[in-house]
Amino acid sequence: MPLFLKRFLFWSLCLIFLVYTFYLYTSSTSADRGLAFLDEKAKAGKLLFQKYNCTACHQVYGLGGYMGPDLTNVISAKGKGPGYAKAFLLSGTARMPNFHLSSEEIDNIIAYLGYVDKTGVSPIIDFKLNADGTVSAGERK
Ligand code: HEC
């Protein structure tokens, strides 16, 4: 291969590397789209979620305890939803304590679970590999 071609190839690859790196590190980093869903009720619910230590038994975004189910998508899951989640908070179960929450507290926790639902998917079952090398969540079962 002639030297000028090697040089051309080398500098082209450097340029492509720089452009792609710039794109990867700057795209979708400017705005936290989740904040749009975090209203006052959801904020209050988040504090209650911490106060009552729900995460000791439950996961959100896949993190937390494993005694109870993952709550990330309980609000949108088939056959579940806000009413379903409320029922657990109203009376507890044999394994989940009844926290004797006020109806306002329950509404706030449900608002927080709604926020979590809009901002995460867990567990991620299928990954979709995008053309630019990034990965996004595929279909939820
Ligand atoms: C001591 C462990 C424990 C704590 C603490 C706990 N839970 Fe639970 N929770 C469970 C278990 C276990 C279940 C599954 C139902 C069962 O087996 O009785 C459950 C079920 C649920 C469900 C239904 C989930 C589904 O997909 O079926 C919701 C919603 C829920 N809990 C919300 C909460 C919230 C909100 C808090 C905090 C205020 C909380 N839990 C605290 C143990 C706990």
Side-chain angles (χ1 to χ4, degrees):
M1 195 189 287
L3 189 62
F4 85 91
L5 205 61
K6 282 185 186 166
R7 285 202 173 126
F8 175 74
L9 208 62
F10 175 75
W11 289 114
S12 305
L13 287 173
C14 285
L15 186 69
I16 291 169
F17 169 77
L18 286 176
V19 169
Y20 186 61
T21 305
F22 180 79
Y23 166 73
L24 268 192
Y25 282 90
T26 53
S27 63
S28 310
T29 53
S30 54
D32 180 355
R33 277 167 281 168
L35 280 181
F37 303 117
L38 194 62
D39 58 10
E40 289 309 311
K41 286 184 82 177
K43 272 185 200 162
K46 185 179 186 182
L47 291 178
L48 290 166
F49 199 84
Q50 290 167 354
K51 179 180 164 192
Y52 292 107
N53 207 9
C54 312
T55 194
C57 299
H58 292 284
Q59 308 113 63
V60 282
Y61 307 123
L63 296 174
Y66 282 88
M67 186 179 165
D70 189 310
L71 297 180
T72 314
N73 302 121
V74 67
I75 298 301
S76 67
K78 266 191 203 133
K80 298 185 180 175
Y84 172 90
K86 251 184 203 175
F88 284 86
L89 291 169
L90 272 174
S91 52
T93 69
R95 300 197 301 144
M96 172 167 154
N98 181 352
F99 294 95
H100 303 287
L101 303 164
S102 69
S103 60
E104 194 196 348
E105 284 181 312
I106 292 181
D107 284 348
N108 290 343
I109 290 177
I110 298 296
Y112 170 63
L113 290 177
Y115 157 76
V116 172
D117 183 61
K118 288 190 190 111
T119 51
V121 178
S122 183
I124 295 176
I125 290 144
D126 297 319
F127 289 99
K128 206 167 109 281
L129 186 60
N130 302 317
D132 63 0
T134 57
V135 167
S136 51
E139 282 295 300
R140 210 187 302 157
K141 275 185 191 160

